[in-house]
Amino acid sequence: MCLLILYILFNSNVWEATVDLISEESGKSLKKLRPHYHFETKSLPDHKRKSPQELRFHSKPIRSEETSELNRELGICPRRKNVVILSQGRGGSSFLGGIFNCHPQVMYWFEPLFHVGNVLNVNVFMEKEPISYKDTCFHLVDSILSCDFSNITNAVLSDISTSSFRRHSQALTSDKLCPGKKTSGKCAPLTNSLLGQVCNSYKYSVIKILSGRLPNNSLKSFQEHFVQQNKYDVKFISLVRDPRAVVFSWVKLNWIQGHSNAEFRSNVHRICDSVKKNVLIGLLSPTPWHRNRFKVIRFEDLAIDTSNVAREIYKFVGLDWSVSVDKWINDHRRRKGEKNPYSLFKNASTAISKWKREAPEELIKGVEDVCGGLMNIMGYKKWCKADRDR
């Protein structure tokens, strides 16, 4: 057990606009705030005191390897690093999740809140969720971030064990949890103790959550919980895709009815409003706890420039890069896009532009009317008929 000796004082009053959301289409930059840390030495013995040069005082963020070296010198054990991916359904979060899942030191969780909803009969279109939903979600996320699964109900654990979602996680289908996988192709039921042991064998935990499955569809509910706990090193990646592409995909999959349906506008509101609300919370009105923990990425930028954007994300969340990530990205860009709508093999041009060529004009205009605020924040330009030929 580590003795946490606070030799370092974080000065959170030093801020600088450095996070840019670049709109590929408009070329405009939306500058947001990212914290720059200012370190001070406290009352150390003379032989242990570091000079400003040794501690590398500067206005730029300390690199992760420098922080690790300093922590080792001071006898401080770093907290487990955790990442939460937030996105709307059909927003590209499975692709981003795959970029983490392929890392050998990442325990990846593919939509764990789905299992809570499955057990409690909660879906993304419910007007009001039961009170137990919020508490059960908190217990599950707490368990994942702390690697202590003693508070997970048997029903939720059983649903995770048997769900097809489990196969999306290398960690949950590893030899440790699926010793007979090579011969039978099946995994054994998960147990609280075994899951905890396996979780602690990984350096990082990454959770993919759809915004519609957040309690009250809002990051605020989790934010309040994390502030109260104040024990997690967790960062949030909000992945946003053009809402016209998202809605068109939902219609094609029959998740919602098309533009001629009476409920079309209300369904589009549910898709866009929660994303917009969470982006505004994270970027424009963050709490002091939240300011250095939130980053917004456009799916279109990730699809076009996957390697560079992925490295930027890894740097932000503090994860060490792995050659396995390079391999995964190369493998999933090399193959052409498949007809399976859930495939992670992406053709960047198709993923970004298909809706422009195929979506009905009335659908496009309807989405633009409802989701104009989100589109403006994210730098998406309005559609014109000339886009059909591009």
Side-chain angles (χ1 to χ4, degrees):
M1 182 175 181
C2 292
L3 292 176
L4 298 180
I5 306 171
L6 300 180
Y7 288 135
I8 302 174
L9 177 65
F10 282 90
N11 180 356
S12 59
N13 297 321
V14 183
W15 298 85
E16 185 172 315
T18 61
V19 178
D20 293 344
L21 295 176
I22 305 297
S23 167
E24 181 217 353
E25 295 176 327
S26 65
K28 295 180 181 178
S29 171
L30 305 176
K31 290 195 174 181
K32 309 300 176 188
L33 294 180
R34 175 185 288 174
H36 280 231
Y37 303 126
H38 196 69
F39 285 66
E40 294 180 1
T41 53
K42 306 308 288 181
S43 298
L44 298 175
D46 289 340
H47 70 282
K48 290 187 177 180
R49 188 170 295 158
K50 303 291 182 180
S51 69
Q53 291 75 21
E54 289 176 302
L55 286 178
R56 296 177 174 88
F57 280 61
H58 47 48
S59 61
K60 295 182 179 180
I62 299 294
R63 296 195 302 270
S64 59
E65 61 268 23
E66 294 172 355
T67 305
S68 300
E69 180 182 353
L70 182 58
N71 285 340
R72 284 194 298 271
E73 291 183 19
L74 298 177
I76 298 175
C77 287
R79 291 184 295 177
R80 181 185 184 85
K81 291 186 181 296
N82 301 283
V83 181
V84 176
I85 300 171
L86 295 173
S87 181
Q88 70 271 66
R90 308 303 297 163
S93 57
S94 294
F95 184 73
L96 177 55
I99 291 173
F100 285 106
N101 184 42
C102 64
H103 193 294
Q105 288 299 321
V106 165
M107 186 161 194
Y108 174 60
W109 293 81
F110 183 93
E111 296 187 31
L113 299 192
F114 165 83
H115 306 292
V116 179
N118 211 28
V119 170
L120 299 178
N121 295 315
V122 176
N123 63 66
V124 295
F125 291 111
M126 290 184 69
E127 293 290 344
K128 190 174 183 180
E129 65 210 17
I131 296 176
S132 59
Y133 180 74
K134 181 177 180 179
D135 292 337
T136 308
C137 287
F138 286 162
H139 287 316
L140 180 54
V141 172
D142 261 340
S143 298
I144 293 172
L145 300 185
S146 64
C147 289
D148 179 1
F149 298 90
S150 57
N151 288 327
I152 294 184
T153 66
N154 290 333
V156 171
L157 189 61
S158 175
D159 202 79
I160 295 173
S161 292
T162 58
S163 172
S164 61
F165 280 14
R166 181 176 176 180
R167 64 183 174 82
H168 294 289
S169 169
Q170 287 191 160
L172 292 179
T173 55
S174 64
D175 291 340
K176 297 176 183 177
L177 293 176
C178 304
K181 180 178 63 173
K182 293 180 180 179
T183 56
S184 66
K186 296 181 180 180
C187 289
L190 298 172
T191 65
N192 306 76
S193 57
L194 182 58
L195 204 50
Q197 294 172 19
V198 171
C199 181
N200 278 307
S201 69
Y202 290 88
K203 291 174 63 177
Y204 317 109
S205 288
V206 177
I207 312 173
K208 173 174 111 76
I209 298 177
L210 298 187
S211 53
R213 293 196 172 110
L214 287 170
N216 301 318
N217 293 332
S218 175
L219 181 60
K220 258 190 175 179
S221 56
F222 271 10
Q223 178 177 294
E224 293 165 359
H225 181 67
F226 287 140
V227 170
Q228 291 172 3
Q229 294 285 347
N230 195 30
K231 62 181 180 181
Y232 299 124
D233 183 352
V234 57
K235 293 193 176 179
F236 298 86
I237 302 295
S238 178
L239 183 67
V240 181
R241 187 182 184 187
D242 191 314
R244 294 161 294 190
V246 172
V247 172
F248 181 52
S249 182
W250 280 47
V251 171
K252 287 184 65 178
L253 293 173
N254 292 318
W255 290 6
I256 60 174
Q257 297 299 308
H259 60 278
S260 59
N261 185 270
E263 297 182 354
F264 177 74
R265 288 180 64 88
S266 62
N267 286 332
V268 174
H269 266 295
R270 290 180 182 178
I271 294 171
C272 287
D273 290 355
S274 62
V275 177
K276 178 184 174 182
K277 181 165 53 177
N278 291 327
V279 168
L280 290 176
I281 290 172
L283 288 182
L284 301 186
S285 56
T287 65
W289 177 88
H290 205 162
R291 283 192 180 115
N292 61 332
R293 301 174 185 263
F294 195 91
K295 188 176 186 65
V296 174
I297 297 292
R298 296 195 339 166
F299 169 72
E300 291 77 12
D301 299 326
L302 178 64
I304 290 174
D305 193 15
T306 306
S307 293
N308 287 330
V309 174
R311 285 182 178 275
E312 178 187 345
I313 293 171
Y314 263 67
K315 182 178 179 181
F316 171 73
V317 300
L319 268 65
D320 299 322
W321 189 258
S322 169
V323 292
S324 63
V325 184
D326 286 316
K327 184 180 184 306
W328 190 93
I329 291 173
N330 289 333
D331 289 346
H332 286 72
R333 285 189 308 187
R334 192 171 298 157
R335 289 174 58 178
K336 293 182 178 180
E338 298 181 353
K339 292 183 179 180
N340 181 359
Y342 301 101
S343 172
L344 298 186
F345 293 91
K346 299 295 181 185
N347 179 296
S349 176
T350 301
I352 293 172
S353 304
K354 188 175 183 179
W355 68 268
K356 297 179 182 179
R357 299 188 299 269
E358 299 182 8
E361 181 175 349
E362 295 83 356
L363 181 148
I364 295 173
K365 297 295 185 182
V367 175
E368 290 179 346
D369 187 39
V370 174
C371 304
L374 175 62
M375 290 176 59
N376 288 336
I377 293 172
M378 299 305 302
Y380 293 119
K381 295 172 64 177
K382 286 194 172 183
W383 177 87
C384 64
K385 289 186 177 180
D387 290 332
R388 292 282 194 208
D389 303 322
R390 295 178 184 174

